[in-house]
Short mmCIF file of all heavy atoms in Angstrom, two decimals:
data_model
loop_
_atom_site.label_atom_id
_atom_site.label_comp_id
_atom_site.label_asym_id
_atom_site.label_seq_id
_atom_site.Cartn_x
_atom_site.Cartn_y
_atom_site.Cartn_z
N MET A 283 -10.26 8.45 -8.98
CA MET A 283 -10.42 9.17 -7.72
C MET A 283 -10.03 8.25 -6.57
O MET A 283 -10.40 7.08 -6.53
CB MET A 283 -11.87 9.61 -7.54
CG MET A 283 -12.11 10.36 -6.23
SD MET A 283 -13.83 10.82 -5.98
CE MET A 283 -14.51 9.23 -5.53
N LEU A 284 -9.25 8.80 -5.62
CA LEU A 284 -8.87 8.06 -4.43
C LEU A 284 -9.75 8.49 -3.28
O LEU A 284 -10.00 9.68 -3.07
CB LEU A 284 -7.40 8.32 -4.06
CG LEU A 284 -6.34 7.70 -4.96
CD1 LEU A 284 -4.96 8.15 -4.49
CD2 LEU A 284 -6.41 6.19 -4.95
N SER A 285 -10.26 7.50 -2.53
CA SER A 285 -11.08 7.78 -1.34
C SER A 285 -10.43 7.09 -0.16
O SER A 285 -10.43 5.85 -0.07
CB SER A 285 -12.51 7.25 -1.57
OG SER A 285 -13.28 7.39 -0.39
N GLY A 286 -9.81 7.88 0.72
CA GLY A 286 -9.12 7.25 1.83
C GLY A 286 -8.50 8.24 2.78
O GLY A 286 -8.88 9.41 2.84
N THR A 287 -7.47 7.78 3.52
CA THR A 287 -6.84 8.56 4.58
C THR A 287 -5.38 8.79 4.27
O THR A 287 -4.64 7.85 3.93
CB THR A 287 -6.96 7.81 5.92
OG1 THR A 287 -8.33 7.59 6.20
CG2 THR A 287 -6.34 8.63 7.04
N LEU A 288 -4.94 10.04 4.40
CA LEU A 288 -3.55 10.40 4.14
C LEU A 288 -2.64 9.84 5.23
O LEU A 288 -2.96 9.92 6.42
CB LEU A 288 -3.41 11.92 4.07
CG LEU A 288 -1.99 12.45 3.75
CD1 LEU A 288 -1.61 12.09 2.32
CD2 LEU A 288 -1.91 13.94 3.97
N ILE A 289 -1.52 9.25 4.81
CA ILE A 289 -0.49 8.76 5.74
C ILE A 289 0.75 9.61 5.53
O ILE A 289 1.40 9.54 4.47
CB ILE A 289 -0.16 7.27 5.46
CG1 ILE A 289 -1.42 6.41 5.52
CG2 ILE A 289 0.89 6.77 6.45
CD1 ILE A 289 -1.19 4.98 5.12
N PRO A 290 1.12 10.46 6.50
CA PRO A 290 2.25 11.40 6.30
C PRO A 290 3.62 10.74 6.43
O PRO A 290 4.48 11.18 7.19
CB PRO A 290 2.00 12.44 7.40
CG PRO A 290 1.35 11.67 8.50
CD PRO A 290 0.46 10.65 7.80
N VAL A 291 3.83 9.68 5.70
CA VAL A 291 5.10 8.94 5.68
C VAL A 291 5.44 8.68 4.22
O VAL A 291 4.56 8.31 3.44
CB VAL A 291 4.99 7.60 6.45
CG1 VAL A 291 6.30 6.83 6.37
CG2 VAL A 291 4.57 7.85 7.90
N PRO A 292 6.70 8.86 3.81
CA PRO A 292 7.06 8.58 2.41
C PRO A 292 6.64 7.17 1.99
O PRO A 292 6.80 6.21 2.74
CB PRO A 292 8.58 8.74 2.40
CG PRO A 292 8.85 9.72 3.51
CD PRO A 292 7.85 9.37 4.57
N TYR A 293 6.09 7.07 0.80
CA TYR A 293 5.59 5.78 0.31
C TYR A 293 6.69 4.72 0.32
O TYR A 293 6.45 3.59 0.73
CB TYR A 293 5.02 5.95 -1.11
CG TYR A 293 4.52 4.65 -1.71
CD1 TYR A 293 3.26 4.16 -1.41
CD2 TYR A 293 5.33 3.90 -2.56
CE1 TYR A 293 2.80 2.98 -1.95
CE2 TYR A 293 4.88 2.71 -3.12
CZ TYR A 293 3.62 2.25 -2.81
OH TYR A 293 3.18 1.06 -3.35
N ASP A 294 7.88 5.07 -0.15
CA ASP A 294 8.96 4.08 -0.23
C ASP A 294 9.34 3.58 1.17
O ASP A 294 9.75 2.42 1.32
CB ASP A 294 10.17 4.68 -0.94
CG ASP A 294 9.94 4.86 -2.43
OD1 ASP A 294 9.08 4.14 -2.99
OD2 ASP A 294 10.61 5.72 -3.03
N THR A 295 9.22 4.44 2.16
CA THR A 295 9.51 4.00 3.53
C THR A 295 8.49 2.96 3.99
O THR A 295 8.84 1.94 4.58
CB THR A 295 9.47 5.21 4.49
OG1 THR A 295 10.48 6.15 4.12
CG2 THR A 295 9.73 4.77 5.93
N LEU A 296 7.21 3.24 3.69
CA LEU A 296 6.17 2.27 4.04
C LEU A 296 6.38 0.95 3.30
O LEU A 296 6.21 -0.12 3.88
CB LEU A 296 4.80 2.83 3.70
CG LEU A 296 4.28 3.97 4.58
CD1 LEU A 296 2.95 4.49 4.05
CD2 LEU A 296 4.11 3.51 6.02
N ARG A 297 6.76 1.05 2.04
CA ARG A 297 6.97 -0.17 1.25
C ARG A 297 8.09 -1.00 1.83
O ARG A 297 8.00 -2.24 1.91
CB ARG A 297 7.28 0.18 -0.22
CG ARG A 297 7.55 -1.05 -1.10
CD ARG A 297 6.29 -1.89 -1.19
NE ARG A 297 6.47 -3.13 -1.92
CZ ARG A 297 6.91 -4.26 -1.39
NH1 ARG A 297 7.24 -4.29 -0.09
NH2 ARG A 297 7.03 -5.34 -2.13
N SER A 298 9.15 -0.35 2.29
CA SER A 298 10.27 -1.06 2.89
C SER A 298 9.86 -1.73 4.20
O SER A 298 10.23 -2.87 4.48
CB SER A 298 11.43 -0.09 3.11
OG SER A 298 12.52 -0.74 3.74
N LEU A 299 9.08 -1.02 5.00
CA LEU A 299 8.64 -1.57 6.29
C LEU A 299 7.71 -2.75 6.09
O LEU A 299 7.70 -3.70 6.89
CB LEU A 299 7.94 -0.47 7.10
CG LEU A 299 8.83 0.66 7.63
CD1 LEU A 299 7.96 1.75 8.25
CD2 LEU A 299 9.81 0.12 8.66
N ALA A 300 6.88 -2.72 5.03
CA ALA A 300 5.94 -3.80 4.79
C ALA A 300 6.64 -5.09 4.37
O ALA A 300 6.16 -6.19 4.66
CB ALA A 300 4.94 -3.38 3.72
N GLY A 301 7.76 -4.97 3.69
CA GLY A 301 8.53 -6.14 3.30
C GLY A 301 7.73 -7.16 2.52
O GLY A 301 7.01 -6.82 1.58
N SER A 302 7.82 -8.43 2.95
CA SER A 302 7.16 -9.52 2.22
C SER A 302 5.64 -9.52 2.42
O SER A 302 4.93 -10.28 1.74
CB SER A 302 7.73 -10.87 2.67
OG SER A 302 7.51 -11.07 4.06
N ARG A 303 5.13 -8.70 3.32
CA ARG A 303 3.68 -8.64 3.54
C ARG A 303 2.99 -7.84 2.43
O ARG A 303 1.76 -7.86 2.33
CB ARG A 303 3.36 -8.00 4.89
CG ARG A 303 3.78 -8.84 6.08
CD ARG A 303 3.46 -8.12 7.37
NE ARG A 303 4.21 -6.88 7.48
CZ ARG A 303 3.75 -5.76 8.01
NH1 ARG A 303 2.51 -5.71 8.47
NH2 ARG A 303 4.49 -4.67 8.08
N ALA A 304 3.78 -7.15 1.62
CA ALA A 304 3.20 -6.27 0.58
C ALA A 304 3.33 -6.90 -0.79
O ALA A 304 4.29 -7.62 -1.10
CB ALA A 304 3.88 -4.91 0.61
N HIS A 305 2.36 -6.62 -1.61
CA HIS A 305 2.33 -7.04 -3.02
C HIS A 305 2.17 -5.78 -3.86
O HIS A 305 1.18 -5.06 -3.72
CB HIS A 305 1.17 -8.00 -3.26
CG HIS A 305 1.07 -8.51 -4.66
ND1 HIS A 305 1.49 -9.76 -5.03
CD2 HIS A 305 0.60 -7.92 -5.79
CE1 HIS A 305 1.27 -9.93 -6.32
NE2 HIS A 305 0.74 -8.82 -6.79
N ASP A 306 3.15 -5.50 -4.73
CA ASP A 306 3.09 -4.29 -5.54
C ASP A 306 2.02 -4.41 -6.62
O ASP A 306 1.89 -5.45 -7.29
CB ASP A 306 4.45 -4.02 -6.20
CG ASP A 306 5.51 -3.68 -5.17
OD1 ASP A 306 5.25 -2.77 -4.35
OD2 ASP A 306 6.59 -4.29 -5.20
N LEU A 307 1.24 -3.36 -6.78
CA LEU A 307 0.16 -3.33 -7.77
C LEU A 307 0.64 -2.65 -9.04
O LEU A 307 1.54 -1.80 -9.01
CB LEU A 307 -1.04 -2.57 -7.21
CG LEU A 307 -1.61 -3.07 -5.89
CD1 LEU A 307 -2.74 -2.16 -5.41
CD2 LEU A 307 -2.09 -4.52 -6.02
N ALA A 308 0.03 -3.01 -10.16
CA ALA A 308 0.35 -2.37 -11.42
C ALA A 308 -0.09 -0.90 -11.35
O ALA A 308 -1.23 -0.62 -10.97
CB ALA A 308 -0.37 -3.07 -12.57
N PRO A 309 0.79 0.04 -11.67
CA PRO A 309 0.43 1.45 -11.59
C PRO A 309 -0.74 1.80 -12.51
O PRO A 309 -0.89 1.23 -13.59
CB PRO A 309 1.71 2.17 -12.05
CG PRO A 309 2.81 1.19 -11.80
CD PRO A 309 2.20 -0.15 -12.07
N VAL A 310 -1.58 2.71 -12.06
CA VAL A 310 -2.70 3.23 -12.86
C VAL A 310 -2.51 4.73 -12.99
O VAL A 310 -2.45 5.44 -11.99
CB VAL A 310 -4.05 2.92 -12.18
CG1 VAL A 310 -5.20 3.58 -12.95
CG2 VAL A 310 -4.27 1.41 -12.10
N ASP A 311 -2.40 5.19 -14.22
CA ASP A 311 -2.15 6.63 -14.49
C ASP A 311 -0.94 7.12 -13.70
O ASP A 311 -0.92 8.25 -13.19
CB ASP A 311 -3.38 7.46 -14.13
CG ASP A 311 -4.57 7.17 -15.05
OD1 ASP A 311 -4.34 6.77 -16.20
OD2 ASP A 311 -5.72 7.34 -14.60
N GLY A 312 0.07 6.25 -13.60
CA GLY A 312 1.29 6.63 -12.91
C GLY A 312 1.25 6.55 -11.41
O GLY A 312 2.24 6.85 -10.74
N ILE A 313 0.11 6.13 -10.83
CA ILE A 313 -0.03 6.05 -9.37
C ILE A 313 0.39 4.66 -8.90
O ILE A 313 -0.20 3.66 -9.28
CB ILE A 313 -1.47 6.33 -8.94
CG1 ILE A 313 -1.90 7.74 -9.37
CG2 ILE A 313 -1.62 6.18 -7.42
CD1 ILE A 313 -3.35 8.05 -9.06
N ARG A 314 1.45 4.62 -8.07
CA ARG A 314 1.92 3.35 -7.53
C ARG A 314 1.07 2.93 -6.35
O ARG A 314 0.50 3.77 -5.65
CB ARG A 314 3.37 3.48 -7.09
CG ARG A 314 4.36 3.71 -8.20
CD ARG A 314 5.78 3.78 -7.65
NE ARG A 314 5.95 4.93 -6.77
CZ ARG A 314 6.86 5.01 -5.80
NH1 ARG A 314 7.65 3.98 -5.54
NH2 ARG A 314 6.98 6.10 -5.06
N GLY A 315 0.98 1.63 -6.11
CA GLY A 315 0.23 1.14 -4.98
C GLY A 315 0.70 -0.21 -4.53
O GLY A 315 1.46 -0.90 -5.24
N MET A 316 0.28 -0.62 -3.34
CA MET A 316 0.62 -1.94 -2.82
C MET A 316 -0.52 -2.49 -1.99
O MET A 316 -1.30 -1.74 -1.39
CB MET A 316 1.90 -1.88 -1.97
CG MET A 316 1.82 -0.96 -0.77
SD MET A 316 3.37 -0.98 0.21
CE MET A 316 3.16 0.51 1.21
N PHE A 317 -0.64 -3.78 -2.00
CA PHE A 317 -1.61 -4.52 -1.19
C PHE A 317 -0.84 -5.10 -0.03
O PHE A 317 0.12 -5.86 -0.22
CB PHE A 317 -2.22 -5.63 -2.06
CG PHE A 317 -3.14 -6.59 -1.33
CD1 PHE A 317 -4.50 -6.39 -1.33
CD2 PHE A 317 -2.64 -7.70 -0.68
CE1 PHE A 317 -5.36 -7.28 -0.68
CE2 PHE A 317 -3.47 -8.59 -0.02
CZ PHE A 317 -4.85 -8.38 -0.04
N VAL A 318 -1.24 -4.72 1.20
CA VAL A 318 -0.52 -5.16 2.40
C VAL A 318 -1.44 -6.05 3.23
O VAL A 318 -2.56 -5.66 3.57
CB VAL A 318 -0.07 -3.95 3.25
CG1 VAL A 318 0.78 -4.44 4.43
CG2 VAL A 318 0.72 -2.97 2.40
N ARG A 319 -0.95 -7.25 3.55
CA ARG A 319 -1.75 -8.21 4.32
C ARG A 319 -1.13 -8.42 5.70
O ARG A 319 0.08 -8.53 5.84
CB ARG A 319 -1.81 -9.55 3.59
CG ARG A 319 -2.81 -10.53 4.17
CD ARG A 319 -2.61 -11.92 3.59
NE ARG A 319 -2.67 -11.96 2.16
CZ ARG A 319 -3.78 -12.12 1.45
NH1 ARG A 319 -4.93 -12.24 2.08
NH2 ARG A 319 -3.74 -12.16 0.14
N ALA A 320 -2.02 -8.46 6.71
CA ALA A 320 -1.60 -8.79 8.07
C ALA A 320 -2.62 -9.78 8.62
O ALA A 320 -3.74 -9.39 8.95
CB ALA A 320 -1.53 -7.54 8.94
N ASP A 321 -2.23 -11.05 8.69
CA ASP A 321 -3.14 -12.12 9.08
C ASP A 321 -4.34 -12.12 8.13
O ASP A 321 -4.17 -12.25 6.94
CB ASP A 321 -3.58 -11.97 10.55
CG ASP A 321 -2.40 -12.06 11.50
OD1 ASP A 321 -1.49 -12.88 11.22
OD2 ASP A 321 -2.36 -11.33 12.49
N ASN A 322 -5.58 -11.95 8.68
CA ASN A 322 -6.76 -11.98 7.83
C ASN A 322 -7.26 -10.58 7.46
O ASN A 322 -8.37 -10.41 6.99
CB ASN A 322 -7.89 -12.76 8.50
CG ASN A 322 -8.35 -12.11 9.78
OD1 ASN A 322 -7.65 -11.27 10.33
ND2 ASN A 322 -9.52 -12.51 10.26
N ARG A 323 -6.42 -9.59 7.67
CA ARG A 323 -6.78 -8.22 7.33
C ARG A 323 -5.83 -7.69 6.26
O ARG A 323 -4.71 -8.16 6.14
CB ARG A 323 -6.72 -7.31 8.57
CG ARG A 323 -7.60 -7.77 9.72
CD ARG A 323 -7.53 -6.85 10.90
NE ARG A 323 -8.06 -5.52 10.57
CZ ARG A 323 -8.04 -4.49 11.42
NH1 ARG A 323 -7.52 -4.63 12.61
NH2 ARG A 323 -8.54 -3.32 11.05
N PHE A 324 -6.31 -6.72 5.49
CA PHE A 324 -5.45 -6.15 4.47
C PHE A 324 -5.79 -4.69 4.26
O PHE A 324 -6.85 -4.20 4.65
CB PHE A 324 -5.54 -6.93 3.16
CG PHE A 324 -6.85 -6.74 2.43
CD1 PHE A 324 -7.05 -5.65 1.59
CD2 PHE A 324 -7.88 -7.65 2.57
CE1 PHE A 324 -8.24 -5.47 0.92
CE2 PHE A 324 -9.08 -7.48 1.91
CZ PHE A 324 -9.27 -6.38 1.09
N GLN A 325 -4.86 -3.99 3.61
CA GLN A 325 -5.05 -2.58 3.28
C GLN A 325 -4.36 -2.31 1.95
O GLN A 325 -3.27 -2.84 1.69
CB GLN A 325 -4.47 -1.67 4.37
CG GLN A 325 -4.62 -0.19 4.08
CD GLN A 325 -6.08 0.24 4.07
OE1 GLN A 325 -6.77 0.15 5.08
NE2 GLN A 325 -6.55 0.69 2.92
N VAL A 326 -4.99 -1.49 1.13
CA VAL A 326 -4.36 -1.04 -0.10
C VAL A 326 -3.87 0.38 0.12
O VAL A 326 -4.62 1.23 0.61
CB VAL A 326 -5.34 -1.11 -1.29
CG1 VAL A 326 -4.67 -0.58 -2.56
CG2 VAL A 326 -5.79 -2.56 -1.51
N VAL A 327 -2.60 0.63 -0.23
CA VAL A 327 -1.98 1.93 0.00
C VAL A 327 -1.42 2.44 -1.32
O VAL A 327 -0.76 1.70 -2.06
CB VAL A 327 -0.86 1.83 1.04
CG1 VAL A 327 -0.18 3.18 1.26
CG2 VAL A 327 -1.39 1.29 2.37
N TYR A 328 -1.67 3.73 -1.60
CA TYR A 328 -1.19 4.35 -2.83
C TYR A 328 -0.21 5.46 -2.49
O TYR A 328 -0.30 6.11 -1.44
CB TYR A 328 -2.34 4.92 -3.64
CG TYR A 328 -3.27 3.88 -4.20
CD1 TYR A 328 -4.46 3.56 -3.54
CD2 TYR A 328 -2.96 3.20 -5.38
CE1 TYR A 328 -5.32 2.59 -4.06
CE2 TYR A 328 -3.81 2.24 -5.90
CZ TYR A 328 -4.98 1.94 -5.24
OH TYR A 328 -5.81 0.98 -5.76
#
């Protein structure tokens, strides 16, 4: 189950914008995700 906020932007577009700040996560049940860091803050996006 995912608990979070919808971002109405294609995932691949977000991944491209994140660049080196993102770390791709191993897919779970086919769901792709990335860990994005900005200074001392981070967000996980699926």
Side-chain angles (χ1 to χ4, degrees):
M283 180 183 75
L284 288 176
S285 174
T287 302
L288 182 69
I289 304 173
V291 178
Y293 178 82
D294 289 336
T295 299
L296 288 176
R297 179 64 185 86
S298 178
L299 291 172
S302 61
R303 292 179 297 144
H305 181 102
D306 293 309
L307 305 176
V310 174
D311 294 332
I313 300 176
R314 294 182 295 155
M316 59 179 164
F317 174 95
V318 185
R319 190 192 304 272
D321 297 323
N322 63 343
R323 303 181 64 184
F324 71 84
Q325 179 65 63
V326 177
V327 178
Y328 293 97

